Amino acid sequence: MALTSERLIKISEHVYILSMPTNVGIITIPTLDNSLDIYLIESGNDDDTAQIISDFLKKTFKSFNLKAIINTHSHADHCGGNSYFVEHYNCQLWATKGEAALMEFPELETSLIWGGTPINEMRSKFLLAKPCTVNKRLSNEETIVLSTDNSNKQIKLKVISLPGHYLDQAGYLIEDTDNKSSLFLGDAISGRNIIKKYWIQYLFDEEKMKQSLLKISKIKADYYIPGHGNFVTEIEGLAELNILALLETENMILDELKVPKTTEEILKSVADRNNISLKTSQYFLIGSTLRSYISALHNANKIKLEIKDNKMLWQKV
């Protein structure tokens, strides 16, 4: 797959979106030697995708120095290209403390989803990125000055904690020299087209996901860029749609638990009601997601558990 120039969208003086299955942010900073310093937000799914991005950068920007990859979180579709870029450009990797730990030891992710040592079918590039060393651990609300131009205007990156989809996920608010701001959101929110296609999406903590969506809805920016889907210039409606998807799945589970069911039975019922034909990876990812919903509902005292005949049964309170 070759990337065409139509996929590159300039949204402010120094910031671009590279529209891909996982969107990539590009921050370009002119240097005194007429070259560019470039920072990427996300790196693609694997070495092949990273090479495609690399070839596109070389064709588009000619002379540049790749300074760092800044990851929102440690899922393979967002950081799977890290090792390629480090090998070919000797760039740095930036991420939050929790996500850095998972990027450095990615076996933790598949173990979290499985609940133990994962089966071999889970050791695919879609779930298991290559391990990589994170050079800079980012803190919530930290602001980093990436550059100061000739007029002393600054390009700033602010770290915004947005857990829920994953443990220590962050969003990045870029303030450019033309006073335009862009918020790269990772998987804290999904575009409308993605919600329509995948109503039930992976998450680690449903309650924190809701809190992050409410937080996002109050952040002012000129552009909001989800990890997957189209960018928007108004966020409240998209945040509401994402919250609605969470609440509808909650209600679906509660409706199923008018009679006691095991976790496996809930998974089958929810998949059937959504016309999802579960493949191996979907079974694990949606199953893990439903357990997160179950935890949230149980912690909110909306469902109760019972161990009966050596089975764990869930039922609506």
Side-chain angles (χ1 to χ4, degrees):
M1 177 187 75
L3 293 174
T4 60
S5 59
E6 289 78 14
R7 290 184 175 270
L8 187 66
I9 305 165
K10 187 172 185 177
I11 55 175
S12 63
E13 183 66 24
H14 302 95
V15 180
Y16 299 79
I17 303 166
L18 186 55
S19 179
M20 300 182 68
T22 299
N23 292 319
V24 174
I26 305 175
I27 305 168
T28 61
I29 301 173
T31 63
L32 294 176
D33 61 359
N34 295 318
S35 180
L36 290 174
D37 285 342
I38 286 182
Y39 295 82
L40 295 184
I41 299 176
E42 318 295 32
S43 65
N45 191 79
D46 54 18
D47 286 355
D48 292 339
T49 306
Q51 183 174 348
I52 291 168
I53 296 170
S54 174
D55 291 344
F56 182 81
L57 293 175
K58 290 176 182 177
K59 179 180 177 181
T60 305
F61 297 110
K62 310 303 181 187
S63 176
F64 66 89
N65 176 32
L66 183 60
K67 299 286 286 184
I69 308 292
I70 310 168
N71 292 117
T72 60
H73 63 296
S74 56
H75 284 158
D77 56 333
H78 292 256
C79 71
N82 283 6
S83 59
Y84 176 93
F85 283 112
V86 170
E87 178 183 350
H88 288 82
Y89 292 92
N90 195 31
C91 62
Q92 290 196 341
L93 302 178
W94 299 1
T96 60
K97 180 179 179 180
E99 300 300 328
L102 289 155
M103 288 160 62
E104 293 178 349
F105 193 52
E107 290 277 354
L108 287 171
E109 181 183 347
T110 48
S111 297
L112 279 171
I113 294 170
W114 177 256
T117 301
I119 60 174
N120 289 333
E121 285 84 346
M122 295 184 69
R123 301 179 189 277
S124 71
K125 66 179 182 179
F126 301 105
L127 294 177
L128 193 62
K130 290 183 179 180
C132 53
T133 300
V134 175
N135 309 98
K136 185 177 182 65
R137 283 163 167 73
L138 305 172
S139 302
N140 181 31
E141 300 299 319
E142 177 181 2
T143 296
I144 300 168
V145 177
L146 298 180
S147 164
T148 301
D149 69 9
N150 293 333
S151 63
N152 291 321
K153 292 182 178 179
Q154 296 179 330
I155 301 172
K156 297 179 181 178
L157 178 147
K158 184 176 181 180
V159 182
I160 299 173
S161 179
L162 298 172
H165 171 77
Y166 218 36
L167 288 85
D168 196 19
Q169 179 177 240
Y172 300 112
L173 181 64
I174 312 299
E175 297 179 10
D176 207 342
T177 56
D178 57 1
N179 296 318
K180 295 288 187 181
S181 59
S182 50
L183 180 56
F184 288 84
L185 290 159
D187 287 348
I189 199 167
S190 293
R192 291 180 184 275
N193 54 325
I194 302 300
I195 287 283
K196 184 177 180 180
K197 187 175 182 180
Y198 304 108
W199 192 248
I200 300 176
Q201 299 183 64
Y202 178 84
L203 59 81
F204 184 79
D205 187 318
E206 191 215 354
E207 188 55 38
K208 287 184 179 178
M209 185 85 177
K210 288 180 190 172
Q211 293 170 6
S212 288
L213 285 165
L214 289 171
K215 183 177 182 178
I216 290 166
S217 71
K218 298 174 183 176
I219 297 174
K220 300 299 182 183
D222 294 292
Y223 302 95
Y224 303 86
I225 305 95
H228 307 281
N230 302 324
F231 75 91
V232 296
T233 56
E234 184 278 324
I235 197 60
E236 289 187 10
L238 185 58
E240 288 175 3
L241 179 61
N242 277 256
I243 291 172
L244 178 63
L246 300 178
L247 295 176
E248 183 165 309
T249 301
E250 270 190 24
N251 290 332
M252 189 182 301
I253 294 169
L254 290 171
D255 187 54
E256 287 294 329
L257 293 182
K258 291 175 182 176
V259 295
K261 281 186 170 68
T262 65
T263 304
E264 294 283 303
E265 289 170 335
I266 298 169
L267 175 57
K268 173 174 170 48
S269 297
V270 170
D272 289 347
R273 287 175 65 157
N274 285 275
N275 297 313
I276 301 171
S277 179
L278 293 171
K279 309 302 181 187
T280 304
S281 59
Q282 284 180 307
Y283 191 91
F284 297 132
L285 288 170
I286 295 179
S288 176
T289 297
L290 284 176
R291 287 191 290 276
S292 294
Y293 276 100
I294 288 168
S295 293
L297 291 169
H298 181 256
N299 293 341
N301 297 314
K302 293 182 179 180
I303 62 175
K304 60 184 179 180
L305 68 87
E306 178 185 13
I307 306 295
K308 186 176 182 180
D309 298 327
N310 287 334
K311 294 190 296 184
M312 180 179 287
L313 298 170
W314 300 97
Q315 185 172 9
K316 185 176 179 181
V317 172

